[in-house]
Amino acid sequence: MNTPSLLILAGDGIGPEVMGEVKRIITWYGEKRDMEFDVSEDLVGGAAYDAHGTPLTDATMAKAQEVDAVLLGAVGGPAYDNLDFSVKPERGLLRLRKEMDLFSNLRPAQCFDALADFSSLKKDIVAGLDIMIVRELTSGSYFGEPRGIFDLPNGEREGINTQRYTTSEIRRVARSAFELARKRNNKVCSMEKANVMESGILWREEVTWVHENEYPDVELSHMYADAGAMQLVRWPKQFDVIVTDNLFGDLLSDTAAMLTGSLGMLPSASLGVPMENGRPKAMYEPVHGSAPDIAGESKANPIACILSFAMALRYSFNDGAEADRLEAAVEKVLADGARTADLLGPEDGTPISTTAMGDAILAELDASL
Ligand code: IPM
Ligand code: MG
């Protein structure tokens, strides 16, 4: 096989800092594990807007389509808040998701033992938590037409977004949830609002169809998304895999993230259909945003971005053993007490820097050899 290719789009805010630590880890794999990657870098979000007047150039989009995996940092920041909607940093990210057709967004929420005390929920509720949210990522109200802000004859304005799903869009993301469940605890809970939305009724019917026809061995339940949000904070360990639409998935995954102690811990994988070489189209990114308030200060937690690279090893490069190695290194470093600022309360001692966290993880990787 050819050397696997990676496109790094570090983006804005803390993106370049946390990605800096990932680059060191990629180098480590080249030097110590003989795993070479063909790495290129480019701009996305506000950084691309500053350089080119657009949050994602066509050339960058074309590169993203060609590589084996895209690693993305974060996009956005106050400097771009007043830009026209069409060139906002987020549009770059959404274009990547849409044009690469990354319909299945995997957002694991795992509570590391060392951080169970740090969650805003009681320790016994989150300790040992390991759930996977599968968020549909290329359709629903994020992309549905018609959309826009329109002037009405009576002088009012109206803002429209359309929640829209088709049979095939629901079935394909349901399949990816059932496939994951089979490798985990064999349970899927599907969340929608079938009580008020037709798109929710269709969602429930199609997920049920896939279940009955293709995955009868997996346990399936359904929940209204509002009740699901409540259950996520009441007793999250009842879940294994949750499958839900684009907008509900956005909300539910932030909720789930907080169960684990910090948004700075959560990785994600966005997967599409297999390419010619058999690997899925893929982009990996931390769930957290660009955190402009701490950008440039080496305060950010690089773990979400590093664990996103672990997901790349697992899902793009089929190397579960190396993904396990990297995840174990992170777990060990946390168990030993390494804490960036997001993992400390006001009276919990001194945080370490972004690079110090990277140093600690690299040392653990060395120790694992
Ligand atoms: C996420 C983010 C994005 C989203 C933003 C940055 C466009 O919140 O990945 O969860 O809403 O999908
Ligand atoms: Mg979000």
Side-chain angles (χ1 to χ4, degrees):
M1 254 223 204
N2 295 340
T3 310
S5 53
L6 295 171
L7 173 62
I8 292 185
L9 303 174
D12 307 323
I14 60 170
E17 291 161 64
V18 293
M19 196 60 85
E21 301 313 306
V22 173
K23 286 196 246 173
R24 295 169 70 200
I25 287 179
I26 294 171
T27 305
W28 185 89
Y29 272 99
E31 286 171 358
K32 305 284 174 71
R33 301 298 300 152
D34 219 12
M35 292 165 65
E36 293 293 339
F37 293 94
D38 177 2
V39 182
S40 55
E41 290 196 56
D42 212 328
L43 302 173
V44 70
Y49 178 81
D50 289 339
H52 305 293
T54 166
L56 188 77
T57 64
D58 292 344
T60 311
M61 186 66 240
K63 260 194 245 173
Q65 296 284 19
E66 272 159 28
V67 291
D68 289 311
V70 175
L71 306 181
L72 189 129
V75 297
Y80 312 104
D81 279 352
N82 296 322
L83 288 184
D84 185 70
F85 187 74
S86 64
V87 289
K88 276 193 186 295
E90 291 78 7
R91 303 310 306 167
L93 176 58
L94 294 170
R95 181 176 176 197
L96 284 161
R97 290 174 179 174
K98 185 71 179 171
E99 292 191 22
M100 292 172 76
D101 199 21
L102 305 172
F103 63 89
S104 179
N105 179 217
L106 279 41
R107 298 190 163 189
Q110 239 176 315
C111 184
F112 290 90
D113 285 346
L115 298 180
D117 277 325
F118 194 66
S119 170
S120 50
L121 269 69
K122 294 192 193 83
K123 185 170 180 168
D124 64 315
I125 294 189
V126 295
L129 178 74
D130 178 5
I131 61 183
M132 176 72 86
I133 297 191
V134 179
R135 168 187 177 192
E136 199 292 326
L137 203 61
T138 52
S139 186
S141 54
Y142 271 59
F143 297 100
E145 301 280 347
R147 65 183 300 165
I149 299 177
F150 303 97
D151 290 316
L152 296 176
N154 69 0
E156 283 207 272
R157 293 194 303 154
E158 108 184 306
I160 298 184
N161 291 92
T162 302
Q163 166 76 335
R164 182 193 150 278
Y165 271 103
T166 62
T167 303
S168 58
E169 286 171 340
I170 300 167
R171 287 188 184 179
R172 66 180 185 171
V173 73
R175 285 188 185 102
S176 77
F178 286 121
E179 288 292 334
L180 279 164
R182 277 184 176 163
K183 294 186 197 130
R184 299 168 46 97
N185 294 315
N186 219 35
K187 285 199 313 192
V188 171
C189 181
S190 169
M191 296 188 186
E192 29 55 16
K193 286 282 289 177
N195 50 346
V196 286
M197 298 166 80
E198 284 80 358
S199 58
I201 296 175
L202 186 76
W203 183 279
R204 191 175 283 220
E205 288 177 0
E206 293 303 337
V207 171
T208 303
W209 187 92
V210 173
H211 176 243
E212 283 172 359
N213 288 281
E214 299 174 18
Y215 298 89
D217 53 301
V218 181
E219 189 186 315
L220 172 66
S221 60
H222 304 273
M223 239 180 234
Y224 298 137
D226 54 343
M230 188 263 286
Q231 290 298 337
L232 259 181
V233 289
R234 191 185 76 87
W235 187 238
K237 284 187 247 178
Q238 70 187 277
F239 297 113
D240 178 23
V241 175
I242 292 172
V243 64
T244 189
D245 77 15
N246 204 341
L247 183 58
F248 293 142
D250 185 41
L251 307 184
L252 293 169
S253 62
D254 267 26
T255 308
M258 212 41 225
L259 304 175
T260 69
S262 166
L263 208 47
M265 298 291 302
L266 284 229
S268 82
S270 304
L271 306 176
V273 294
M275 300 183 282
E276 257 171 44
N277 62 11
R279 294 184 173 125
K281 276 262 158 83
M283 178 161 76
Y284 299 88
E285 57 178 307
V287 171
H288 64 67
S290 60
D293 52 320
I294 57 162
E297 296 178 27
S298 200
K299 282 187 184 164
N301 183 351
I303 289 179
C305 204
I306 289 171
L307 291 177
S308 298
F309 179 64
M311 290 187 89
L313 293 173
R314 191 182 304 283
Y315 294 106
S316 282
F317 305 117
N318 223 348
D319 203 334
E322 292 301 338
D324 287 347
R325 178 198 301 280
L326 184 49
E327 288 164 1
V330 168
E331 187 156 10
K332 178 71 169 37
V333 160
L334 291 170
D336 289 348
R339 297 284 185 275
T340 41
D342 56 307
L343 303 176
L344 286 174
E347 270 134 48
D348 290 346
T350 319
I352 63 169
S353 69
T354 308
T355 39
M357 184 60 97
D359 291 342
I361 293 169
L362 285 165
E364 240 0 281
L365 283 174
D366 277 335
S368 77
L369 294 177

